[in-house]
Amino acid sequence: MDKIAMIGGGSWATALTKILSENGARVGWWMRNKDDVQHLLRTRHNPRYLSSVAFDLTRVHPSTDLKEVVEDADWLVLAVPAAFVQSTLEKLDRDSLKSKRVISAIKGMVPGKNVLVTDYVAERFRLPHERIGVVAGPCHAEEVALEKQSYLTIGSASLELADTFCLLLRNRFVKAHPMEDLDGIEYFAVMKNIIALTCGIAHGLGYGDNFQAVLVSNAVQEMRRFVHAMNPQPRDLSASAYLGDLLVTAYSQFSRNRTFGSMIGRGYSVKSAQMEMNMVAEGYYAVKSIYELNKKLNVHMPITSAAYHILYEKISPAVELEILKEKFR
């Protein structure tokens, strides 16, 4: 039986725990909140996220003891918001992952350091990238909970690792396939949240579907330019790990980044939108990381720049979108 340490108590951690445990894996599930752990042990449900999902507690073992959960596992799956990765993993010794394989289910960057989560893990724990993978693809946690047909991609420098984790995920409603493009998949996953957030801003301002289609079309070009500058190699960006993930995040009712952006477009401040959502919109942090990385690259990135001006320089969303729309074709 594969032993997995799930790190995080949010909706994506809950969905992945459902898939992995129902496929026969033993999942040690670390949550920060003691009350959530007690609720799970008592009722078999996560009280905060996807609360309709019931877990088999012979396979799922919730705990607030991070070291114990990690020590007993073969795989470590990271599913905390990117903003909390560093503070969470710093509780572990540098050698505590030396015999583990690590999968990042985080579509964000480590704020302040402006590095991919997988790069941070590799440096912090001295792990080769062949021992690390990333989950990508158009797959909202809410639809997984409803057992809607979903598609995942596992990116890794090691196809063997990626394929092995795909086997742990596949079931009647989840298809998974491996890819070797770890960096490209991860950068694309980070950037699509920026685009979804900007789509939300446009929606909040009253722009329609026609404009959003043009925004997303231009976004694909912007993302291609940036990812190629960071990690040049041939990529088919029409694949579901890239374009599919972008589309579902930009258009879906379940997209927290689109929801967050829509609130900003309707006049909410960043702080008030964050408080009302009570969930982390990764795109907010991603905007700053990608914008700062691009200061060295000088890639033409009008959408990311517009989002940065709105969120961090407090430029009026209406004014910034008026400027942005003149840059599209």
Side-chain angles (χ1 to χ4, degrees), residues 6 16 39 44 53 70 75 81-82 85 91-92 96 126 163 168 175 230 236 258 264 283 302 317:
M6 182 63 62
L16 288 170
H39 188 279
R44 302 189 300 127
V53 177
V70 170
W75 296 84
V85 168
K91 299 171 185 174
L92 299 173
S96 58
R126 298 187 288 261
D163 197 45
L168 297 177
K175 296 185 182 297
M230 291 297 295
D236 178 8
R258 179 182 165 89
I264 298 297

Side-chain angles (χ1 to χ4, degrees), residues 62-121:
S63 172
T64 58
D65 190 331
L66 179 63
K67 292 181 180 178
E68 182 180 75
V69 167
V70 170
E71 185 177 358
D72 194 37
D74 306 311
W75 296 84
L76 185 75
V77 178
L78 297 172
V80 295
F84 304 139
V85 168
Q86 192 171 354
S87 61
T88 299
L89 294 184
E90 281 181 348
K91 299 171 185 174
L92 299 173
D93 296 333
R94 291 179 69 91
D95 293 329
S96 58
L97 303 186
K98 62 182 180 181
S99 61
K100 318 292 183 187
R101 288 176 285 185
V102 180
I103 300 291
S104 172
I106 303 167
K107 297 180 178 181
M109 301 185 76
V110 181
K113 290 183 174 293
N114 298 338
V115 297
L116 296 172
V117 172
T118 56
D119 287 339
Y120 172 74
V121 170

Side-chain angles (χ1 to χ4, degrees), residues 116 118-119 129-136 152-164 166 176-187 227 231-236 239 241-242:
L116 296 172
T118 56
D119 287 339
H129 278 87
E130 288 76 16
R131 299 262 300 284
I132 301 173
V134 62
V135 180
L152 291 174
T153 300
I154 307 301
S156 177
S158 165
L159 268 182
E160 184 274 330
L161 178 145
D163 197 45
T164 301
C166 285
H177 69 276
M179 285 182 66
E180 286 184 288
D181 183 21
L182 176 64
D183 284 357
I185 287 173
E186 198 167 4
Y187 276 121
V227 173
N231 184 260
Q233 62 173 277
R235 294 180 174 93
D236 178 8
Y242 309 106

Side-chain angles (χ1 to χ4, degrees), residues 9-307:
S11 57
W12 196 208
T14 305
L16 288 170
T17 298
K18 168 186 165 64
I19 296 170
L20 293 163
S21 62
E22 290 180 357
N23 279 357
R26 181 192 187 280
V27 182
W29 190 358
W30 177 81
M31 292 180 166
R32 183 182 55 181
N33 190 298
K34 291 181 181 180
D35 291 340
D36 290 352
V37 169
Q38 291 303 314
H39 188 279
L40 249 169
L41 290 171
R42 189 171 62 252
T43 70
R44 302 189 300 127
H45 297 268
N46 184 344
R48 297 176 187 267
Y49 302 97
L50 308 184
S51 55
S52 63
V53 177
F55 293 96
D56 180 350
L57 296 182
T58 64
R59 292 180 180 171
V60 176
H61 304 272
S63 172
T64 58
D65 190 331
L66 179 63
K67 292 181 180 178
E68 182 180 75
V69 167
V70 170
E71 185 177 358
D72 194 37
D74 306 311
W75 296 84
L76 185 75
V77 178
L78 297 172
V80 295
F84 304 139
V85 168
Q86 192 171 354
S87 61
T88 299
L89 294 184
E90 281 181 348
K91 299 171 185 174
L92 299 173
D93 296 333
R94 291 179 69 91
D95 293 329
S96 58
L97 303 186
K98 62 182 180 181
S99 61
K100 318 292 183 187
R101 288 176 285 185
V102 180
I103 300 291
S104 172
I106 303 167
K107 297 180 178 181
M109 301 185 76
V110 181
K113 290 183 174 293
N114 298 338
V115 297
L116 296 172
V117 172
T118 56
D119 287 339
Y120 172 74
V121 170
E123 189 278 329
R124 171 77 174 83
F125 297 99
R126 298 187 288 261
L127 288 179
H129 278 87
E130 288 76 16
R131 299 262 300 284
I132 301 173
V134 62
V135 180
C139 195
H140 280 307
E142 292 82 358
E143 290 201 355
V144 170
L146 295 170
E147 300 190 354
K148 299 286 189 181
Q149 186 66 55
S150 301
Y151 294 77
L152 291 174
T153 300
I154 307 301
S156 177
S158 165
L159 268 182
E160 184 274 330
L161 178 145
D163 197 45
T164 301
F165 199 73
C166 285
L167 292 173
L168 297 177
L169 292 170
R170 292 183 186 126
N171 61 23
R172 61 182 176 79
F173 62 90
V174 174
K175 296 185 182 297
H177 69 276
M179 285 182 66
E180 286 184 288
D181 183 21
L182 176 64
D183 284 357
I185 287 173
E186 198 167 4
Y187 276 121
F188 221 85
V190 170
M191 292 190 68
K192 56 92 180 179
N193 287 329
I194 299 173
I195 306 310
L197 192 154
T198 310
C199 285
I201 292 173
H203 179 264
L205 287 168
Y207 287 81
D209 292 343
N210 293 344
F211 178 76
Q212 177 158 327
V214 173
L215 195 161
V216 171
S217 299
N218 278 266
V220 173
Q221 299 170 45
E222 180 168 320
M223 295 162 82
R224 178 188 292 114
R225 289 191 294 267
F226 180 82
V227 173
H228 184 75
M230 291 297 295
N231 184 260
Q233 62 173 277
R235 294 180 174 93
D236 178 8
L237 296 185
S238 65
S240 64
Y242 309 106
L243 182 60
D245 203 0
L246 169 62
L247 292 176
V248 78
T249 309
Y251 284 92
S252 174
Q253 61 177 320
F254 295 125
S255 171
R256 67 188 66 175
N257 289 284
R258 179 182 165 89
T259 299
F260 178 80
S262 182
M263 295 170 76
I264 298 297
R266 297 200 310 272
Y268 282 70
S269 68
V270 167
K271 187 173 182 179
S272 60
Q274 289 172 327
M275 289 177 65
E276 184 160 323
M277 283 184 65
N278 196 31
M279 297 175 80
V280 175
E282 294 281 17
Y284 171 71
Y285 301 100
V287 166
K288 191 169 190 289
S289 291
I290 297 297
Y291 184 85
E292 290 182 349
L293 280 175
N294 194 45
K295 286 180 180 178
K296 295 179 181 179
L297 298 172
N298 248 350
V299 174
H300 180 55
M301 300 182 70
I303 301 172
T304 300
S305 295

